Amino acid sequence: MKYTILGTGAIGGYYGGMLRKSGLPVDFLARSDYQHIKEHGLTIDSIRGDFILRELDVYDSVQNLPDTDVVIVSMKTTANENLSELLLPIVKEGTVIFVLQNGLGMEEELQEQFPHAVVVGGMCFICSQKRGPGYIVHLDKGPITAAPLHESDFPIVEKMQSDFVQAGIEMTLNRNLNHARWGKLLWNIPFNGLSVVLNANTKEIMDNPYGLSLTQKLMEEVSRGASACGCNLPSGSIAGMLESTHTMAPYDPSMKLDYDHKRPMEVEYMYRKPLQEARKNGADLPLVEALADQLSFLNQMVEVPV
Amino acid sequence: MKYTILGTGAIGGYYGGMLRKSGLPVDFLARSDYQHIKEHGLTIDSIRGDFILRELDVYDSVQNLPDTDVVIVSMKTTANENLSELLLPIVKEGTVIFVLQNGLGMEEELQEQFPHAVVVGGMCFICSQKRGPGYIVHLDKGPITAAPLHESDFPIVEKMQSDFVQAGIEMTLNRNLNHARWGKLLWNIPFNGLSVVLNANTKEIMDNPYGLSLTQKLMEEVSRGASACGCNLPSGSIAGMLESTHTMAPYDPSMKLDYDHKRPMEVEYMYRKPLQEARKNGADLPLVEALADQLSFLNQMVEVPV
């Protein structure tokens, strides 16, 4: 299949680069970095081996992008307000929109805006950073869990899976997107928010009795919210997630990096949408809401860098 | 009456200085500043007029302090672990221990340790800072609400009141210490904690919809905790407190100053004791507890300055 990367940053740059390197046709949209990538290519330093992609099919505007089979949405959800405008010129009947974002509800919104598209959610478990124009550093992990919004689209996701796997990207499939999204939120909600408010990495949070206690309480609320929304997470999910966080290297979640770099944080899709869904289904999550309020406060207090 | 100031800082320095200036006998305990005050006196810059007290009765050790009628405890509660040791040489039968601290439960603890003392609580509404050795700056406000732990001690508190008033310090009396303490916690719990976690002053918190919402939710929980402990705060307490905070000048609560100066924060008496009392009386306060956990986390992460 042919791929188009919407947002050549930490996520889109790495996964798009891996797909391209394996020989698949990939078009990249890069706005601020267009000129740099055009001249110097895309540099990826990866724990699995460094490489540079030269003579990339890179574009500076969606208007110029050729037809494609799969559009990979790899921009932050903070830009989702303008996402449908970007997708409009490239999404045709049957085009796959593969949403590599954190949060909840992105797929439903996109399906509503593009009823004839195939919408698929992707949850990346990766530590990857953009360090400069056209320069991506892949530090750790890399697997993606993919799940179609509609189970009937599962065969298309299996085709994507075979592309990703031959490109060296681990991909697990899940038939239930809602379930997969809530499973990811179980980690994202406590660790992203607490890392910002407590100015701490995952190890510092896990190693401190108060940090651990806050994490557990938040996870219990998220799990309750998931249940209310019809996703009974497997028993042991919380314990398992704590254990795997405990054993992993100290890590700054993406929201911490956003806050430290004075970029807007993804409060809307990572906190507000889950809170709305939970409430709609009768579950109030007061601690998650208080954390979201703290993050919204900080979002509004961030001074835009000059 | 004769007064002894235990802790010649922002609170003890100002109130003790005012009492002394009015002609009352006042002994000051100053440990780190002893030599400086001995040589240069105590300088107080106050909105009500600046003054310097020379040839002060200042002591560097409780062992040397003369007998007294009223011991004013004006150190932070973070030092309360060693408080009874400090009080032991000076508290005799009938000595008044006047606790000018923030939090809950200090008076009950002291009464238990000194059963023959008269214990009185004092809630200061003051903006005062220690800016250097023997140098206090009084920026705003100043009234004290005083309440005896046992109502039968009310006459002694009235005697103190007349001393304070003649010294130019507004003093209101309250017959119910528990009620007065919870009334102060209604403000202290949200604004002290949020100012630290959100890195914001009172105005920034009040002016932001999320800051205001968090404040209100915390106040509602504190009010619920107070009710459980037998203190039904007057209806309109929350609205009144928000209104008066709204109209006051931007202010950094004491906990914010402590955190910014890498001093330990008063989490134990300002959060844990109220939480314990509320729980003992059947009220869980989850948002207050989560905020306390965040502060405890930050307390443990503060690097001690070298």
Side-chain angles (χ1 to χ4, degrees):
Chain A
M1 289 198 280
K2 186 175 180 190
Y3 291 86
T4 297
I5 305 294
L6 225 57
T8 308
I11 299 299
Y14 174 70
Y15 289 115
M18 290 291 281
L19 292 167
R20 181 72 196 79
K21 180 167 154 265
S22 79
L24 286 161
V26 184
D27 294 326
F28 291 84
L29 176 74
R31 286 172 296 181
S32 55
D33 296 356
Y34 170 76
Q35 207 55 45
H36 184 98
I37 296 174
K38 196 82 195 156
E39 285 171 32
H40 307 282
L42 179 64
T43 301
I44 294 170
D45 288 357
S46 167
I47 43 159
R48 307 246 181 106
D50 304 347
F51 58 97
I52 302 179
L53 297 167
R54 297 189 199 277
E55 288 168 36
L56 221 56
D57 297 309
V58 61
Y59 299 85
D60 63 350
S61 155
V62 284
Q63 311 302 332
N64 304 329
L65 278 168
D67 281 351
T68 189
D69 299 311
V70 179
V71 181
I72 296 183
V73 176
S74 48
M75 304 169 325
K76 299 248 172 201
T77 53
T78 46
N80 277 20
E81 228 179 315
N82 307 313
L83 183 54
S84 61
E85 209 178 304
L86 285 176
L87 288 169
L88 209 56
I90 40 176
V91 173
K92 320 281 182 210
E93 169 116 27
T95 306
V96 176
I97 306 177
F98 188 30
V99 187
L100 288 190
Q101 295 186 316
N102 280 319
L104 191 74
M106 297 81 73
E107 293 85 0
E108 289 80 355
E109 283 180 8
L110 286 168
Q111 187 73 82
E112 203 168 304
Q113 289 153 1
F114 299 96
H116 301 301
V118 174
V119 180
V120 178
M123 281 119 291
C124 319
F125 294 82
I126 188 166
C127 182
S128 181
Q129 297 173 348
K130 184 182 146 184
R131 294 256 175 100
Y135 178 38
I136 313 295
V137 179
H138 169 223
L139 296 153
D140 206 359
K141 318 275 184 193
I144 299 176
T145 299
L149 178 57
H150 302 293
E151 212 186 318
S152 55
D153 292 325
F154 204 69
I156 305 179
V157 183
E158 286 177 315
K159 274 178 72 180
M160 284 169 47
Q161 183 189 32
S162 80
D163 280 351
F164 274 74
V165 167
Q166 69 82 27
I169 303 159
E170 227 182 287
M171 182 174 272
T172 309
L173 306 189
N174 191 323
R175 288 185 181 269
N176 189 328
L177 175 63
N178 199 30
H179 207 284
R181 282 274 170 223
W182 276 103
K184 186 86 193 285
L185 288 170
L186 191 64
W187 194 94
N188 273 338
I189 284 180
F191 284 109
N192 276 281
L194 290 178
S195 69
V196 170
V197 173
L198 303 179
N199 188 30
N201 65 33
T202 52
K203 180 173 164 54
E204 290 166 330
I205 294 169
M206 287 295 295
D207 285 356
N208 181 288
Y210 299 104
L212 182 60
S213 161
L214 283 165
T215 302
Q216 284 172 316
K217 286 180 201 166
L218 288 163
M219 284 187 170
E220 278 153 25
E221 275 198 5
V222 177
S223 174
R224 202 155 51 69
S227 294
C229 297
C231 308
N232 283 309
L233 300 177
S235 81
S237 290
I238 293 179
M241 207 157 256
L242 289 174
E243 181 54 28
S244 77
T245 310
H246 192 66
T247 55
M248 86 188 193
Y251 179 58
D252 281 335
S254 61
M255 188 170 271
K256 174 85 167 78
L257 298 180
D258 287 338
Y259 182 66
D260 288 350
H261 289 90
K262 295 181 184 292
R263 295 188 293 252
M265 296 183 281
E266 302 186 280
V267 181
E268 203 52 38
Y269 286 86
M270 217 189 286
Y271 291 83
R272 299 294 171 196
K273 302 274 179 186
L275 282 166
Q276 278 164 23
E277 281 307 303
R279 174 159 294 165
K280 210 194 289 175
N281 291 286
D284 274 332
L285 312 178
L287 296 184
V288 173
E289 193 169 23
L291 183 56
D293 284 348
Q294 292 182 334
L295 297 169
S296 294
F297 181 95
L298 294 174
N299 246 351
Q300 295 191 355
M301 297 296 279
V302 164
E303 291 164 46
V304 179
V306 277
Chain B
M1 288 199 282
K2 185 175 180 189
Y3 291 86
T4 298
I5 305 294
L6 224 57
T8 308
I11 300 298
Y14 174 70
Y15 289 116
M18 289 291 282
L19 292 168
R20 182 71 195 81
K21 180 168 154 264
S22 79
L24 286 162
V26 184
D27 293 324
F28 291 83
L29 176 74
R31 286 172 294 179
S32 55
D33 296 358
Y34 171 75
Q35 207 55 46
H36 184 98
I37 295 175
K38 196 81 196 159
E39 285 170 31
H40 308 282
L42 179 65
T43 301
I44 295 171
D45 288 357
S46 167
I47 43 160
R48 307 248 180 104
D50 304 346
F51 58 97
I52 301 178
L53 297 167
R54 296 189 200 279
E55 288 168 35
L56 221 55
D57 296 310
V58 62
Y59 298 85
D60 63 350
S61 156
V62 283
Q63 311 302 331
N64 303 329
L65 278 167
D67 280 352
T68 190
D69 300 311
V70 180
V71 181
I72 296 183
V73 177
S74 47
M75 304 168 324
K76 300 248 174 201
T77 54
T78 46
N80 276 20
E81 227 179 314
N82 307 314
L83 183 55
S84 61
E85 208 178 305
L86 285 177
L87 288 170
L88 208 56
I90 40 176
V91 173
K92 320 281 181 206
E93 168 117 30
T95 306
V96 176
I97 306 177
F98 188 30
V99 187
L100 288 191
Q101 295 186 316
N102 280 319
L104 192 74
M106 296 82 71
E107 293 85 0
E108 289 80 355
E109 282 180 9
L110 286 168
Q111 187 73 82
E112 204 169 302
Q113 289 154 359
F114 300 95
H116 302 300
V118 174
V119 181
V120 178
M123 282 119 291
C124 318
F125 295 81
I126 188 165
C127 182
S128 180
Q129 297 172 348
K130 184 181 145 183
R131 294 256 175 99
Y135 178 38
I136 313 294
V137 179
H138 169 224
L139 297 153
D140 205 0
K141 317 277 183 190
I144 299 176
T145 299
L149 179 58
H150 302 294
E151 211 186 318
S152 56
D153 292 324
F154 205 69
I156 306 179
V157 183
E158 286 177 313
K159 274 178 72 182
M160 284 170 47
Q161 183 188 32
S162 81
D163 280 350
F164 274 74
V165 167
Q166 69 82 26
I169 302 159
E170 227 182 288
M171 182 173 274
T172 309
L173 306 189
N174 191 323
R175 288 186 181 268
N176 188 328
L177 174 63
N178 198 30
H179 206 284
R181 283 274 170 223
W182 277 103
K184 186 86 194 285
L185 288 170
L186 191 64
W187 194 93
N188 272 339
I189 284 179
F191 284 109
N192 276 280
L194 290 178
S195 70
V196 170
V197 174
L198 303 178
N199 188 29
N201 65 35
T202 52
K203 182 173 164 52
E204 289 166 329
I205 294 169
M206 287 296 295
D207 285 356
N208 181 288
Y210 299 105
L212 183 59
S213 161
L214 282 166
T215 301
Q216 284 173 316
K217 286 180 202 166
L218 288 164
M219 284 186 171
E220 278 154 24
E221 275 197 5
V222 177
S223 174
R224 203 156 50 70
S227 294
C229 296
C231 307
N232 282 311
L233 300 177
S235 81
S237 290
I238 293 179
M241 207 156 256
L242 290 174
E243 180 55 27
S244 77
T245 310
H246 192 66
T247 54
M248 87 188 193
Y251 179 57
D252 280 335
S254 61
M255 188 170 271
K256 174 86 167 79
L257 297 180
D258 288 338
Y259 183 66
D260 288 350
H261 290 89
K262 295 181 185 291
R263 295 188 294 251
M265 297 184 280
E266 303 186 280
V267 180
E268 203 51 37
Y269 287 86
M270 217 189 287
Y271 291 83
R272 299 294 171 197
K273 302 273 179 187
L275 282 166
Q276 278 164 24
E277 281 306 302
R279 173 159 295 164
K280 210 194 289 174
N281 290 286
D284 274 331
L285 313 178
L287 295 183
V288 173
E289 193 168 23
L291 183 56
D293 285 347
Q294 292 182 334
L295 297 169
S296 294
F297 181 95
L298 294 174
N299 246 351
Q300 295 190 354
M301 297 295 279
V302 163
E303 290 164 47
V304 179
V306 276

